[in-house]
Amino acid sequence: MPKQQLSLRMIKDVIRLKWHAKLSHEQVATALKISKGAVAKYVSLATAADLDWDAVQDWSDQQLSTALQPRSSAALPIVVPDWARIHRELDRKGMTLMLLWQEYVEANPQGRTWRYTQFCEHYKAFAATLKRSMRQHRRAGEKMFVDYAGSTVPLRDGARAQVFVSAMAASSCVFACATPAQRLDDWIAGMVRALHFYGGVPQLVVPDNATAVIASADRYEPRANDTVQDFARHYGTSVLPARPRSPKDKATAESSVQVIGRWVLARLRHHRFDTVAQVDAAIAELLPSVNDRPFQKLAGSRASVFAELDKPALMPLPSQRYELARFKTVKVHIDYHVEVDGHRYSVPHPLVGQVLEARLTQHGVELLLRGQRVAAHVRSSLRGKFTTVDAHMPAAHRAHLEWTPQRLIEWGQQIGMACGELVTRLLQTYKHPEHGYRSCLGLLSLSRSYGKERLEAACERALALGTVRYRHVRDLLANNRDLVAQESAAEWTSPAHANVRGPDYYQ
């Protein structure tokens, strides 16, 4: 607090005791119960004004006050600082009132300036005239507050567009957009658009305790859900939800929602919209008028203060926008694949039996083990199919993939021309020849059980019957022990030979 000034009556007593009673400074201070410094001050002023007790004992208070005014500074008015600028400067990181006071004194070496205590008192009086939300000192680039407006915009089909609002802490620069609902993907889309609207990333994102965003709304240890934490990791920021039932924690967001309601949504009340996209376009058109609107009691506007304070303090944006990701726990099956939405994706075969975390985006699938990526695939919508990376297979399985259509055909031709032709036709029946590899290998392996001659004869019979299926050739061999290559197709189709399967089975 500033030092209390002595009353004029007390000043007269100082002069009386000093010059009339001839007391020392210490004795005067003890008698009047004031400090020796105060005694010295007013004795010095009286001496400078050439006053004594005989001269002032009959003076009025006004006469004494005028006579004691310091001659060197009486004609100089006190230099009043630019309180609005000082208020804004305090939003800068590391700025203090002491530093601002020193700059104020140094900038006015010839003028009268307040001492530090008086400087602080006058600043507090100025800050008290501002709105409550404006008195909160937020560091530049530190926080971005996000929330949904309570007001919604009706659509012609009866639905209502929700309005997402964000605001930077120091400048209150506001962003708003329309979303279909307040689901998790709507929150993420709104925050991503807000960061790219500002052109940078703050240190903290402060949302409300919405159930779509916050997994645990604990007052002391709140936790955002996995998708929101993934969003924060992508942009290199942190998400710190406000305390439950504590609107003061996000006063900037509350006031910005009010501003959007009054200066944007109120102007759209007579418009009729068909889609959320139309609402979003209308909000975007009105948004510059909100940020460019001058402050009432401070210099500049939201846009100008953002450019001056927040923008330089923001972290740079990553090269790519965040793509919404959802997380799912999966287990690696014995075939070293995990199943996601009916499709199977491979992982390295040593991970069989492990529990992994699947990160699912619109176009990709990442598989994580204790936070480390072990596999990544392009997402597929084909249910019941496989996406397999060769490097994930055991060595024996990779050897199986070394087979090629030509290698299989050449192996069949080594058994006989009919076998080679059957293998060729078998591969041609599939859109992708690889799908027929297992059938071809099964067919060729029959030579180990029945011999090459009998397999060649069975292939001739199958070609004559117009069938190229592995199981048909297998049945021919299993059911006709005396099968030889010289028998004709007509003989084979007779009832005597078709002792297990009728001729229609092979059509």
Side-chain angles (χ1 to χ4, degrees):
M1 294 292 291
K3 294 181 180 179
Q4 185 176 5
Q5 300 292 323
L6 296 182
S7 66
L8 291 174
R9 179 177 297 177
M10 185 72 73
I11 295 173
K12 275 189 174 183
D13 288 340
V14 170
I15 296 173
R16 178 178 59 82
L17 294 175
K18 183 63 182 176
W19 277 281
H20 183 69
K22 307 296 183 179
L23 300 182
S24 65
H25 283 24
E26 184 175 359
Q27 290 172 326
V28 173
T30 303
L32 298 179
K33 294 183 172 53
I34 59 177
S35 68
K36 287 177 61 177
V39 173
K41 173 184 176 181
Y42 288 103
V43 168
S44 176
L45 289 174
T47 302
D50 198 18
L51 301 179
D52 59 20
W53 174 244
D54 293 334
V56 304
Q57 60 179 335
D58 296 326
W59 280 11
S60 66
D61 291 348
Q62 182 63 38
Q63 288 176 299
L64 181 60
S65 176
T66 303
L68 291 177
Q69 186 73 25
R71 296 292 186 266
S72 61
S73 60
L76 295 177
I78 291 179
V79 179
V80 179
D82 183 354
W83 296 120
R85 184 190 67 83
I86 288 173
H87 182 78
R88 285 300 181 201
E89 288 294 319
L90 282 174
D91 288 335
R92 295 186 185 275
K93 188 174 182 179
M95 189 60 65
T96 64
L97 272 175
M98 174 61 77
L99 178 58
L100 291 171
W101 171 75
Q102 291 175 352
E103 293 178 351
Y104 155 69
V105 173
E106 291 171 359
N108 300 280
Q110 304 300 325
R112 292 178 61 199
T113 56
W114 280 308
R115 305 307 297 167
Y116 177 66
T117 304
Q118 294 172 311
F119 179 85
C120 293
E121 288 298 317
H122 283 88
Y123 169 72
K124 290 178 182 178
F126 168 80
T129 65
L130 303 178
K131 291 183 179 179
R132 187 172 187 176
S133 61
M134 294 299 294
R135 292 205 308 271
Q136 296 183 5
H137 290 302
R138 307 291 189 185
R139 297 292 178 253
E142 181 185 36
K143 294 180 181 179
M144 180 182 77
F145 295 90
V146 297
D147 201 357
Y148 267 90
S151 302
T152 57
V153 181
L155 304 179
R156 292 185 188 274
D157 61 1
R160 304 189 75 87
Q162 308 293 319
V163 180
F164 174 88
V165 180
S166 70
M168 292 303 300
S171 62
S172 295
C173 184
V174 65
F175 167 77
C177 65
T179 64
Q182 296 186 27
R183 299 184 299 267
L184 174 61
D185 51 347
D186 300 309
W187 277 93
I188 295 294
M191 290 190 288
V192 170
R193 290 183 61 184
L195 293 179
H196 287 267
F197 172 80
Y198 296 126
V201 182
Q203 298 174 21
L204 289 172
V205 177
V206 184
D208 199 356
N209 279 273
T211 55
V213 179
I214 306 304
S216 175
D218 187 86
R219 184 176 183 86
Y220 302 103
E221 294 183 351
R223 185 178 66 84
N225 64 36
D226 292 338
T227 299
V228 176
Q229 292 179 7
D230 185 63
F231 155 83
R233 283 192 295 270
H234 180 82
Y235 284 102
T237 185
S238 298
V239 176
L240 180 65
R243 293 173 298 173
R245 297 177 297 279
S246 299
K248 292 180 181 179
D249 286 3
K250 52 185 181 67
T252 303
E254 298 289 345
S255 62
S256 298
V257 165
Q258 188 179 64
V259 167
I260 291 296
R262 290 177 177 177
W263 294 96
V264 175
L265 301 184
R267 293 180 178 179
L268 301 178
R269 67 188 185 280
H270 298 308
H271 291 68
R272 295 295 176 264
F273 300 98
D274 294 320
T275 63
V276 174
Q278 293 179 357
V279 179
D280 189 59
I283 292 175
E285 186 177 351
L286 294 174
L287 201 56
S289 64
V290 177
N291 288 321
D292 294 334
R293 185 167 171 263
F295 290 122
Q296 292 183 356
K297 296 186 178 182
L298 295 173
S301 62
R302 288 176 171 83
S304 64
V305 176
F306 171 78
E308 179 186 356
L309 294 180
D310 280 322
K311 180 67 174 177
L314 293 176
M315 297 180 289
L317 289 166
S319 58
Q320 293 183 341
R321 280 181 175 248
Y322 175 74
E323 185 178 6
L324 179 67
R326 297 183 183 275
F327 290 82
K328 178 181 179 181
T329 300
V330 293
K331 187 173 183 178
V332 183
H333 296 287
I334 194 171
D335 62 353
Y336 50 88
H337 284 71
V338 299
E339 184 173 343
V340 176
D341 296 336
H343 192 87
R344 296 171 177 85
Y345 302 91
S346 68
V347 299
H349 68 88
L351 298 179
V352 169
Q354 295 273 7
V355 176
L356 306 180
E357 187 177 40
R359 181 179 182 271
L360 313 176
T361 64
Q362 182 179 358
H363 302 102
V365 175
E366 289 183 273
L367 299 163
L368 312 173
L369 176 63
R370 293 187 288 274
Q372 298 296 319
R373 185 169 70 177
V374 296
H377 301 277
V378 176
R379 192 165 184 178
S380 174
S381 59
L382 300 177
R383 300 181 66 85
K385 302 296 183 179
F386 291 80
T387 297
T388 306
V389 175
D390 294 352
H392 294 166
M393 295 180 170
H397 292 200
R398 289 199 300 271
H400 173 77
L401 289 183
E402 294 175 0
W403 290 99
T404 63
Q406 187 58 37
R407 183 179 178 185
L408 292 170
I409 293 172
E410 291 176 356
W411 187 11
Q413 290 174 345
Q414 292 175 4
I415 295 174
M417 294 304 298
C419 185
E421 178 64 21
L422 189 65
V423 170
T424 302
R425 294 189 185 184
L426 180 60
L427 293 173
Q428 292 173 347
T429 60
Y430 292 94
K431 181 177 180 180
H432 298 289
E434 292 83 354
H435 293 169
Y437 283 5
R438 293 182 63 185
S439 297
C440 291
L441 291 173
L443 173 68
L444 297 173
S445 66
L446 293 174
S447 63
R448 292 196 296 267
S449 301
Y450 299 99
K452 294 182 179 181
E453 182 180 0
R454 296 193 66 210
L455 176 58
E456 174 68 9
C459 289
E460 288 183 5
R461 295 292 181 267
L463 291 172
L465 294 170
T467 179
V468 293
R469 293 185 178 276
Y470 156 74
R471 61 188 179 91
H472 294 166
V473 177
R474 181 195 60 197
D475 290 344
L476 288 173
L477 293 169
N479 299 325
N480 296 274
R481 299 292 181 183
D482 57 346
L483 183 67
V484 291
Q486 286 73 18
E487 291 181 292
S488 66
E491 293 173 340
W492 169 245
T493 56
S494 65
H497 288 82
N499 52 6
V500 176
R501 303 286 189 182
D504 293 339
Y505 173 74
Y506 301 97
Q507 300 301 321

